[in-house]
């Protein structure tokens, strides 16, 4: 436990001591700010239009602003994840510090857990920036906060799953660029897998759709907490970390 | 303390270490000597549980590296070829991190870190970022990292590589100071280093064990005899070099006397003994009894360089044959 904590702190420190964390936060703040502006602008315009047409029904802020925003964030996250995970193991392998970790009385699991938790924490703090924008919605309206929380939970689960995959990919190389590129490809693939569902209904298409991270995120964006989606993400996280552990072990054998 | 029995490490296509066996007793400093690519680093990595052996048993402190790696790791401090530093960490912070990796209790951490800093003379740089450290300091931080948990065994992979002469001397001194409490294995391809720091030498070449012995024994074994430098001074009046030489030749066990240099009333010789004979005591008596002053009497070591070349050269055909 203490080892995991030590590695967790070390990882966080190296994220925040280098420009990576701030760069990602700034980029995300900018992009999210833009989406936020667009979403609220559309919301306001539509709202005024429907009032002029005499429909008295107030528009649902959760449905019109927050849901599309969360969907957008889940896509932006796909781009952030490779940048978070690419250095996790590749950098240690390149600089030789992996020898320190692997010759210390620490279990591989503890190392992996510490690193993954740190990556997840960084992702959470990046996503946290978007919450600042959402405060405005609470100042000027009354959105329901429960679906928002569920949406963020979904983002963290989806992110966690991709981070686990990224961590695995990072153990396979000592080159950060390769780790980042491969992780990006994997993220993108897991995102677009569900596209087949638009024209194909065969069993294989269903499987592919099921494997897409987006399929499982949609309910979260609507504020629906479905066990089967949670289970999906948790199993991907487990699988990813399991592969990471195997890969670390094979480092010893292959060297 | 360390027991290696028939260790073989095979990579995909090459055999890095081929059937090596040796034992190291507690408290010894052992030099691991060999040219680049001989398998030194691989052997050390197996000892430190970084790599598993392909075949053979390796025990550290009575624990098997395959069966109880955590116990072995707890007892080993390891300085890899490149010190494993994190550039974004300060020295103290880094040592704190390592302390928790090595499972040092929280209450002791501070004291242990201070101790390591003191032993490796890192006081001046303790608050510097590691990316700002010079090569010598990086090496010393690496050493501090290895000794912080007071391990029974220290494994140092080329601890003096890339240092300037002054730093090399300091590092050697540091290693010697550590010797009392720790069993130390250090690898190097620099021969004088072994002569100066180690009590025991293990020579490997192309993955095979070439020799293992104490430095003195190796020297003796190869030459089979002892060489002594002698300087003699006349007590009153000038000295006749020929007479001295004659006298030395009469000492029992002496096989050859070579005149080295002569002066007004002093002359020096290099005397070689017969196989397996010790001649220093006899020679000293002979000189003094003849009424001269013995100003120098020093064994001339066969340099490891010669030993090494001799050993690796003779082994070469065999090793080449074995690889096929």
């Amino acid at each position: 436990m203490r080892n995991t904590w030590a590695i967790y702190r070390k990882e966080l420190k190296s994220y925040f001591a280098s420009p990576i964390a701030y760069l990602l936060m700034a980029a995300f703040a900018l992009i999210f700010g833009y989406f936020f502006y667009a979403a609220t602008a559309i919301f306001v315009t539509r709202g005024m239009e429907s009032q002029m047409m005499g429909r008295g029904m107030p528009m649902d802020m959760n449905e019109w602003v927050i849901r599309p925003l969360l969907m957008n964030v889940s896509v932006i996250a796909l781009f952030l994840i490779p940048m978070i995970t690419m250095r996790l193991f590749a950098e240690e392998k390149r600089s030789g510090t992996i020898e320190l970790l692997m010759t210390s009385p620490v279990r591989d699991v503890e190392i992996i857990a510490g690193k993954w938790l740190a990556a997840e924490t960084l992702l959470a703090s990046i996503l946290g920036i978007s919450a600042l924008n959402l405060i405005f919605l609470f100042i000027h309206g009354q959105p329901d906060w429960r679906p928002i929380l569920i949406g963020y939970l979904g983002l963290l689960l989806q992110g966690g799953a991709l981070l686990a995959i990224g961590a695995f990919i990072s153990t396979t190389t000592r080159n950060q660029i390769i780790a980042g590129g491969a992780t990006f490809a994997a993220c993108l693939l897991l995102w677009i897998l569900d596209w087949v569902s638009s024209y194909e209904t065969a069993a294989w298409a269903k499987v592919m759709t099921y494997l897409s991270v987006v399929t499982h995120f949609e309910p979260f964006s609507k504020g629906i907490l479905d066990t089967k989606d949670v289970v999906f993400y948790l199993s991907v996280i487990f699988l990813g970390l399991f592969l990471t552990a195997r890969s670390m072990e094979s480092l010893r054998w292959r060297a | 303390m360390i027991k290696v029995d028939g260790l073989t490490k095979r990579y995909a296509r090459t055999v890095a270490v081929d059937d090596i066996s040796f034992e190291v007793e507690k408290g010894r400093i052992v030099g691991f000597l060999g040219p680049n690519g001989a398998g030194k680093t691989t052997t050390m990595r197996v000892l430190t549980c970084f790599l598993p052996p392909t075949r053979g048993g390796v025990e550290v402190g009575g624990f098997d590296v395959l069966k109880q790696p955590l116990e072995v790791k707890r007892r080993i401090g390891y300085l890899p070829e490149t010190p494993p530093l994190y550039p974004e960490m300060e020295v103290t912070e880094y040592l704190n991190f390592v302390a928790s990796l090595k499972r040092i209790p929280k209450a002791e951490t501070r004291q242990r870190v201070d101790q390591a800093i003191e032993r490796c003379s890192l006081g001046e740089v303790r608050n510097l970022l590691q990316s700002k450290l010079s090569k010598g300091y990086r090496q010393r931080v690496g050493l501090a990292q290895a000794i912080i948990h007071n391990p029974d065994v220290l494994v140092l992979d080329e601890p003096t590589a890339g240092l300037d002469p002054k730093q090399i001397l300091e590092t050697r001194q540091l290693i010697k100071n550590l010797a009392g409490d720790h069993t130390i294995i250090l690898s190097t391809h620099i021969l004088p280093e072994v002569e100066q720091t180690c009590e025991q030498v293990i020579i490997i070449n192309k993955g095979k064990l070439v020799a293992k012995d104490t430095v003195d024994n190796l020297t003796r074994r190869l030459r089979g005899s002892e060489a002594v430098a002698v300087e003699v001074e006349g007590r009153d009046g000038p000295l006749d070099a020929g007479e001295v030489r004659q006298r030395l030749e009469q000492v029992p066990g002496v096989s050859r006397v070579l005149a080295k240099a002569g002066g007004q009333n002093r002359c020096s010789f290099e005397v070689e003994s017969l196989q397996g004979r010790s001649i220093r005591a006899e020679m000293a008596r002979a000189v003094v009894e003849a009424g001269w002053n013995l100003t120098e009497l020093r064994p001339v070591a066969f340099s490891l360089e010669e030993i090494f070349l001799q050993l690796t050269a003779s082994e070469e055909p065999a090793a080449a044959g074995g690889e096929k």
Side-chain angles (χ1 to χ4, degrees):
Chain A
M1 230 6 246
R2 198 174 145 225
N3 287 320
T4 305
W5 176 239
I7 287 169
Y8 172 78
R9 281 189 31 198
K10 180 223 114 195
E11 288 298 323
L12 265 196
K13 155 95 193 187
S14 65
Y15 277 131
F16 284 93
S18 71
I20 305 177
Y22 307 103
L23 182 81
L24 292 181
M25 283 171 144
F28 179 75
L30 190 71
I31 296 167
F32 185 82
Y34 172 70
F35 279 131
F36 182 77
Y37 164 75
T40 45
I42 292 170
F43 179 73
V44 171
T45 336
R46 290 278 172 79
M48 291 210 298
E49 272 170 15
S50 69
Q51 264 186 351
M52 281 198 292
M53 284 158 80
R55 261 182 269 148
M57 271 282 282
M59 285 167 67
D60 185 352
M61 202 180 253
N62 283 87
E63 175 69 25
W64 279 90
V65 181
I66 291 165
R67 196 181 141 219
L69 271 179
L70 287 173
M71 282 307 280
N72 284 335
V73 172
S74 93
V75 175
I76 303 170
L78 298 178
F79 292 85
L80 299 178
I81 270 129
M83 291 186 248
I84 297 177
T85 58
M86 62 184 196
R87 49 165 292 287
L88 275 183
F89 290 92
E91 174 69 12
E92 307 249 17
K93 283 175 82 175
R94 194 191 52 77
S95 71
T97 45
I98 192 93
E99 283 195 72
L100 169 65
L101 295 184
M102 288 173 74
T103 58
S104 293
V106 187
R107 272 172 254 274
D108 289 358
V109 195
E110 294 170 318
I111 299 174
I112 294 166
K115 283 179 174 282
W116 179 79
L117 284 173
E120 183 81 346
T121 307
L122 175 62
L123 181 70
S125 41
I126 293 170
L127 295 176
I129 291 176
S130 63
L132 297 176
N133 292 294
L134 297 187
I135 291 173
F136 283 99
L137 297 182
F138 284 95
I139 294 173
H140 298 288
Q142 294 95 35
D144 190 352
W145 58 270
R146 278 161 300 190
I148 300 182
L149 274 193
I150 290 175
Y152 274 97
L153 176 69
L155 286 176
L156 285 179
L157 281 171
Q158 186 205 37
L162 295 173
L163 289 174
I165 293 171
F168 162 61
I169 293 176
S170 184
T171 54
T172 59
T173 173
R174 55 172 56 215
N175 184 326
Q176 288 195 44
I177 313 267
I178 291 176
T183 308
F184 181 64
C187 289
L188 209 58
L189 200 66
L190 286 173
W191 176 43
I192 57 175
L193 272 183
D194 73 321
W195 288 8
V196 290
S197 64
S198 56
Y199 60 86
E200 181 64 65
T201 51
W204 65 268
K206 285 198 183 118
V207 171
M208 281 179 69
T209 311
Y210 176 79
L211 288 177
S212 167
V213 284
V214 182
T215 321
H216 298 273
F217 183 69
E218 240 181 318
F220 283 101
S221 73
K222 292 178 191 149
I224 302 164
L225 187 60
D226 192 333
T227 339
K228 90 174 188 297
D229 299 316
V230 177
V231 167
F232 171 80
Y233 283 134
L234 289 181
S235 20
V236 175
I237 292 173
F238 179 79
L239 178 75
L241 297 182
F242 175 75
L243 287 176
T244 314
R246 295 273 93 175
S247 170
M248 259 186 95
E249 214 177 297
S250 83
L251 285 185
R252 299 179 194 271
W253 294 98
R254 284 181 296 130
Chain B
M1 205 66 213
I2 300 171
K3 220 159 114 188
V4 175
D5 184 25
L7 166 67
T8 300
K9 176 70 193 173
R10 206 187 302 273
Y11 293 126
R13 266 177 229 93
T14 51
V15 179
V17 175
D18 193 2
D19 197 19
I20 283 186
S21 305
F22 61 88
E23 269 178 51
V24 181
E25 283 160 40
K26 197 172 180 266
R28 282 294 183 93
I29 308 187
V30 177
F32 216 51
L33 193 64
N36 289 327
K40 300 184 299 261
T41 299
T42 304
T43 311
M44 295 190 140
R45 286 180 162 176
V46 173
L47 279 177
T48 55
C49 303
F50 184 69
L51 294 177
T54 310
R55 227 184 11 251
V58 179
E59 269 180 30
V60 177
F63 295 97
D64 188 285
V65 290
L66 277 181
K67 290 182 195 124
Q68 289 151 302
L70 283 184
E71 293 300 322
V72 173
K73 289 175 186 177
R74 232 174 259 214
R75 285 163 178 78
I76 272 193
Y78 176 39
L79 170 64
E81 227 169 326
T82 35
L85 309 186
Y86 292 100
E88 71 273 6
M89 279 191 178
E90 286 168 13
V91 173
T92 319
E93 185 188 4
Y94 170 75
L95 291 176
N96 276 317
F97 169 65
V98 176
S100 55
L101 280 186
K102 306 283 181 191
R103 298 175 190 259
I104 294 174
K106 257 219 163 83
E108 283 176 42
T109 301
R110 213 199 152 110
Q111 181 209 340
R112 294 284 189 89
V113 168
D114 284 343
Q115 215 171 28
I117 285 178
E118 198 199 301
R119 288 179 98 171
C120 301
S121 338
L122 289 166
E124 276 172 48
V125 297
R126 61 184 300 159
N127 294 321
L128 273 187
L129 280 182
Q130 296 189 326
S131 54
K132 307 265 187 254
L133 296 181
S134 67
K135 176 82 187 157
Y137 272 123
R138 296 170 66 88
Q139 203 73 25
R140 273 194 250 171
V141 176
L143 215 49
Q145 163 273 124
I147 61 170
I148 194 163
H149 53 307
N150 209 8
D152 297 338
V153 177
L154 266 180
V155 178
L156 311 173
D157 199 352
E158 308 211 349
T160 57
L163 300 183
D164 68 35
K166 184 166 164 277
Q167 291 167 334
I168 290 181
L169 284 180
E170 285 169 0
T171 310
R172 279 183 197 156
Q173 198 50 51
L174 182 57
I175 292 170
K176 275 189 173 168
N177 291 345
L178 292 172
D181 325 330
H182 312 271
T183 308
I184 302 178
I185 291 201
L186 67 90
S187 81
T188 179
H189 57 266
I190 308 162
L191 297 154
E193 188 154 299
V194 176
E195 271 178 310
Q196 285 166 29
T197 34
C198 304
E199 298 153 345
Q200 201 181 335
V201 202
I202 295 170
I203 300 179
I204 61 173
N205 187 35
K206 295 189 173 164
K208 286 194 191 293
L209 195 96
V210 179
K212 52 179 172 179
D213 217 330
T214 60
V215 176
D216 295 345
N217 278 347
L218 265 186
T219 315
R220 213 165 303 143
R221 201 175 94 198
L222 270 146
R223 182 171 267 188
S225 58
E226 191 180 23
V228 184
V230 198
E231 193 182 73
V232 179
E233 194 185 60
R235 208 166 276 174
D236 20 52
L239 189 71
D240 179 11
E243 197 193 333
V244 177
R245 181 177 182 145
Q246 218 170 24
R247 201 50 176 275
L248 287 176
E249 276 167 350
Q250 282 163 12
V251 173
V254 167
S255 70
R256 204 151 63 115
V257 177
L258 296 167
K260 279 289 192 190
Q264 253 299 306
N265 67 338
R266 68 174 67 201
C267 47
S268 54
F269 302 91
E270 194 174 307
V271 182
E272 279 175 34
S273 76
L274 290 169
Q275 192 88 11
R277 293 290 289 266
S278 183
I279 50 169
R280 270 178 280 167
E282 299 266 356
M283 216 152 45
R285 195 174 310 129
V287 170
V288 173
E289 275 171 3
W292 301 312
N293 285 339
L294 181 64
T295 47
E296 190 183 5
L297 181 67
R298 160 175 69 84
V300 184
F302 214 143
S303 80
L304 266 177
E305 208 123 356
E306 290 167 79
I307 299 175
F308 183 73
L309 286 177
Q310 220 165 317
L311 283 173
T312 50
S314 59
E315 288 290 319
E316 220 142 74
E323 248 172 353
K324 275 171 193 147

